[in-house]
């Protein structure tokens, strides 16, 4: 079964949404969309370093994404504006990654796959990395769920309950770094944020509890993956953008439902 490229693509996409559904909900609650986008852009530097050092792609992108999360946490803790820090680091890392890629001939040819994703080319090893990373993120979110939700809803209330909002923010940042590392082969650096934000945004309107929103976002993400792969096969369109387009259509449909 795993020899079928569509089956591998579906397994990879479904593995990814296990993490992006609940994590995307926190991204919306905490207004961290720009952070996810910036981390994804910075991951291109990790791709370039991985090719230059002949290291696994996932390890290179994870290392850069985690480093960025730690640097952002350090600089914002010293009073720097988060928007400014993210803008400087994201664009600098993206520029360095693109410059670095120009010195790696094998990457120069296939860089589009990391910018826009190439889910149809995932291997069995990729599936193991994706499901392992998603399981790690999901386990972390379940373990810290109540603390993360409290810190997201009201930081003063969290502090009164003995919860450090900065620590919970750092945990979410590290979880985002893992998701970016495993998602870059599927939807690419330019579309990762969309997979985090759009399904969660679609689920928000009809979710009465945080748990329901996380579950609904995961379900919507799964539908988008399968629908995007079907559209890509029937219409001969890029698979990654097709997945994001389907999730966007679902979001628009939920707006129409709730307007009625």
């Amino acid at each position: 079964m795993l020899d079928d490229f569509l089956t591998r693509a579906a397994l990879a996409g479904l593995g990814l949404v296990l993490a992006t559904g609940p994590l995307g909900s926190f991204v919306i609650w905490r207004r961290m969309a720009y952070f996810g986008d910036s981390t994804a852009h910075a991951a291109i530097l990790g791709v370039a370093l991985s090719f230059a050092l002949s290291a696994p792609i996932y390890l290179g992108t994870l290392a850069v994404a985690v480093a960025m999360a730690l640097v952002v946490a350090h600089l914002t803790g010293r009073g720097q504006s988060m928007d400014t820090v993210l803008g400087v680091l994201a664009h600098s890392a993206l520029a360095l990654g693109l410059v670095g890629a120009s010195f790696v001939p094998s990457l120069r040819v296939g860089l589009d796959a990391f910018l826009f994703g190439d889910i149809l080319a995932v291997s069995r090893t990729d599936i193991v990395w994706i499901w392992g990373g998603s399981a790690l993120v999901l386990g972390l979110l379940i373990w810290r769920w109540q603390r993360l939700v409290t810190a997201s809803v009201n930081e003063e209330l969290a502090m009164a309950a003995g919860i450090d909002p900065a620590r919970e923010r750092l945990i979410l940042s590290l979880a985002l770094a893992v998701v970016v590392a495993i998602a870059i082969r599927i939807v690419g650096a330019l579309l990762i944020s969309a997979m985090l934000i759009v399904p969660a945004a679609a689920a928000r309107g009809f979710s009465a509890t945080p748990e329901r929103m996380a579950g609904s976002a995961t379900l919507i993400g799964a539908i988008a993956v399968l629908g995007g792969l079907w559209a890509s096969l029937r219409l001969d369109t890029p698979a990654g953008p097709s997945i994001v387009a389907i999730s966007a259509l679902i979001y628009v449909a939920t707006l129409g439902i709730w307007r009625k």
Side-chain angles (χ1 to χ4, degrees):
M1 183 173 71
L2 290 179
D3 289 332
D4 182 1
F5 73 97
L6 274 178
T7 302
R8 294 197 304 271
L11 286 174
L14 294 176
L16 176 63
V17 299
L18 287 177
T20 57
L23 186 58
S25 300
F26 282 108
V27 168
I28 286 181
W29 294 332
R30 299 188 68 99
R31 296 183 176 137
M32 294 177 68
Y34 189 33
F35 182 90
D37 205 35
S38 300
T39 306
H41 288 173
I44 293 297
L45 176 58
V47 172
L49 290 175
S50 297
F51 271 81
L53 300 175
S54 299
I57 297 296
Y58 297 109
L59 291 182
T61 53
L62 178 61
V64 170
V66 167
M68 180 171 174
L70 294 175
V71 170
V72 169
H74 174 70
L75 292 178
T76 53
R78 297 185 63 180
Q80 296 290 320
S81 167
M82 178 170 281
D83 284 349
T84 301
V85 171
L86 287 175
V88 171
L89 290 179
H91 296 304
S92 299
L94 177 59
L96 287 172
L98 294 175
V99 170
S102 67
F103 292 101
V104 185
S106 58
L107 176 58
R108 194 186 313 164
V109 175
L111 188 60
D112 283 354
F114 297 100
L115 290 173
F116 302 104
D118 193 7
I119 190 173
L120 297 179
V122 295
S123 64
R124 301 184 196 187
T125 302
D126 291 327
I127 293 173
V128 172
W129 277 100
I130 291 163
W131 277 84
S134 289
L136 176 65
V137 170
L138 191 58
L140 178 64
L141 294 179
I142 292 173
W143 174 47
R144 307 288 296 186
W145 182 263
Q146 197 55 54
R147 289 175 172 267
L148 289 169
V149 170
T150 303
S152 298
V153 172
N154 191 314
E155 291 196 352
E156 281 130 20
L157 178 63
M159 292 176 70
I163 300 171
D164 183 359
R167 180 187 301 165
E168 304 309 316
R169 192 182 307 115
L170 178 60
I171 289 172
L172 283 177
S173 299
L174 295 176
L176 271 171
V178 174
V179 167
V180 166
I182 64 175
I184 197 165
R185 285 291 297 271
I186 297 179
V187 291
L190 301 182
L191 300 175
I192 290 173
S193 289
M195 281 302 294
L196 284 164
I197 297 168
V198 180
R204 189 174 193 176
F206 54 84
S207 300
T209 65
E211 293 79 10
R212 183 172 178 181
M213 179 171 168
S216 298
T218 302
L219 178 60
I220 291 171
I223 294 171
V225 165
L226 298 178
L229 290 175
W230 177 85
S232 176
L233 181 65
R234 293 297 299 269
L235 304 175
D236 195 25
T237 55
S242 297
I243 291 172
V244 176
I246 293 296
S247 64
L249 289 175
I250 295 173
Y251 172 71
V252 172
T254 59
L255 288 179
I257 291 172
W258 283 97
R259 279 175 184 170
K260 294 178 183 179

